[in-house]
Amino acid sequence: MVDDTMVERFEGCLVGGAIGDALGYPVEFDSYEGICGQFGQDGIRAYSIHPWAGCAQFSDDTQMTLFSASGLLQVGAGASDEECNSSVYGAYLDWLHTQDRMFAGHPGTSPLLAEEQLYSRRAPGNTCLSALYGGEMGLMEQPINTSKGCGGVMRVAPMGLYFEDPTRAVHVAAMAAAITHGHPLGYISAAALAYIVNRCVHSEAVSLAAVIDDCASQLPGWFDSERFYADSMARQLQLAASLAENDTCDHDDIVRLGEGWIGDEALAIAVYCCLRHHDSFDGAVIAAVNHGGDSDSTGAIAGNIMGAWLGMAAIGQQWLEQLELRELLTRTADELCEALHINS
Ligand SMILES: [Mg+2]
């Protein structure tokens, strides 16, 4: 059922992800000490506005998230998971064209190709670039490489929104991540994020902690043939949940979960920040970017989850006004929400 609350959560998920991404992007490659040296002991807490663009720019994470959504929106009613994934693959090839206009192997069907502002390189991940240049679509059964980088998980929030059925969300998100990331943790983390987003918007969950707990217990069952890695991802989510209950400072807890360059760590850090600051969008995204690891990806994932859980009403005006392409993000979320009746 689509109601106003649901539209708010769809928009919150995509806009929130872009905000966390834009907040973390300027410090993606900085150490924690470097961030505190530049922004003060509380770290970065507000956008660094791009000097000539005059707005807060997001990175490849949000660009690719938009193309994930575009791929889903281009398939019609009744499409199978495989058909959805083929369309997402085509959309990623279109994204590659925005990064390299000379790249000619793209289908060119995504309406996003008309958005001139997307033709901008924002530190795109080498794994995504080389996998897509290769001209072969990676599959879970035929891994394209051994990468478990976070480039798979950081772009699949739209799968959690678009499919009401969590089983489909999980499956298509894992397939979409496996297009470029062949290690099980590269796509299991993506499946887990899609499930978390799905349960935030399409269930009557009583708390975010309950959603995470549910995800950790379901996860091993989805990946029978990769049980070792699924168990490992589940344990990391449980560790994130238990650390969120302690009274240690955010940064010390985050360090225990890793740096976020790889999929499972990025999801665990984002989940930790969301649980620690479960009623504050600001608290979660600020915590998620202030560490020495992949700040824009952990910020993007935390923003996706908090926006899906709390909705647009929880996102302050200071984040919205200077965010680049906010209308495109909102419109894309609305289109995913309108597409719900096709899939249900
Ligand atoms: Mg990035």
Side-chain angles (χ1 to χ4, degrees):
M1 194 185 75
V2 177
D3 57 23
D4 289 354
T5 317
M6 186 160 290
V7 176
E8 278 257 300
R9 289 179 179 224
F10 272 59
E11 292 178 356
C13 180
L14 293 197
V15 172
I19 291 168
D21 184 7
L23 182 65
Y25 181 41
V27 297
E28 178 180 9
F29 301 111
D30 293 348
S31 66
Y32 181 61
E33 292 70 27
I35 295 171
C36 294
Q38 193 182 347
F39 297 96
Q41 60 173 3
D42 294 331
I44 184 168
R45 302 178 67 83
Y47 287 143
S48 299
I49 300 301
H50 192 274
W52 56 262
C55 61
Q57 294 186 330
F58 50 68
S59 81
D60 59 327
D61 302 41
T62 302
Q63 290 177 338
M64 293 197 80
T65 299
L66 282 166
F67 279 90
S68 292
S70 182
L72 295 173
L73 289 167
Q74 287 180 76
V75 291
S80 67
D81 289 1
E82 286 69 24
E83 287 164 338
C84 290
N85 190 50
S86 293
S87 180
V88 169
Y89 176 53
Y92 292 159
L93 295 176
D94 283 344
W95 168 78
L96 184 59
H97 181 68
T98 66
Q99 305 298 291
D100 171 9
R101 289 177 196 254
M102 299 301 286
F103 174 69
H106 72 115
T109 52
S110 173
L112 293 177
L113 290 172
E115 301 289 337
E116 204 52 40
Q117 264 181 276
L118 289 174
Y119 289 75
S120 178
R121 284 175 80 103
R122 306 280 170 79
N126 283 330
T127 305
C128 290
L129 294 174
S130 60
L132 295 172
Y133 273 125
E136 187 189 332
M137 185 173 86
L139 299 168
M140 283 185 274
E141 311 77 58
Q142 282 170 273
I144 194 162
N145 54 37
T146 57
S147 177
K148 54 181 170 181
C150 68
V153 59
M154 57 67 163
R155 63 178 191 239
V156 298
M159 284 63 177
L161 300 175
Y162 180 78
F163 297 103
E164 257 187 305
D165 175 355
T167 312
R168 294 199 69 193
V170 161
H171 189 218
V172 176
M175 285 197 293
I179 290 172
T180 55
H181 288 70
H183 189 287
L185 285 171
Y187 55 78
I188 290 173
S189 54
L193 175 64
Y195 185 77
I196 292 165
V197 166
N198 177 277
R199 295 295 82 192
C200 284
V201 299
H202 296 300
S203 81
E204 304 286 318
V206 293
S207 68
L208 194 52
V211 170
I212 303 303
D213 190 47
D214 175 32
C215 179
S217 60
Q218 302 275 346
L219 232 169
W222 305 329
F223 296 97
D224 233 7
S225 56
E226 300 294 352
R227 191 63 191 249
F228 173 82
Y229 296 109
D231 284 341
S232 163
M233 181 75 255
R235 278 197 306 276
Q236 277 169 287
L237 292 177
Q238 285 157 344
L239 175 61
S242 74
L243 290 174
E245 299 286 319
N246 69 21
D247 53 12
T248 309
C249 77
D250 289 352
H251 180 254
D252 288 354
D253 281 340
I254 288 169
V255 167
R256 290 193 55 190
L257 293 165
E259 294 192 316
W261 300 108
I262 53 178
D264 53 332
E265 290 182 7
L267 181 64
I269 290 171
V271 161
Y272 162 82
C273 295
C274 295
L275 291 175
R276 171 63 70 101
H277 302 276
H278 58 90
D279 55 0
S280 165
F281 176 84
D282 296 14
V285 293
I286 288 170
V289 302
N290 280 294
H291 56 84
D294 194 350
S295 297
D296 61 338
S297 296
T298 50
I301 298 167
N304 286 144
I305 296 172
M306 289 307 280
W309 179 244
L310 297 173
M312 281 297 282
I315 301 177
Q317 208 53 38
Q318 79 277 20
W319 299 118
L320 300 175
E321 274 162 10
Q322 289 173 296
L323 180 65
E324 77 168 330
L325 291 171
R326 178 163 60 93
E327 278 168 26
L328 174 65
L329 290 157
T330 308
R331 190 167 72 239
T332 304
D334 293 349
E335 285 171 7
L336 287 170
C337 201
E338 282 160 22
L340 266 185
H341 70 274
I342 308 174
N343 307 307
S344 52

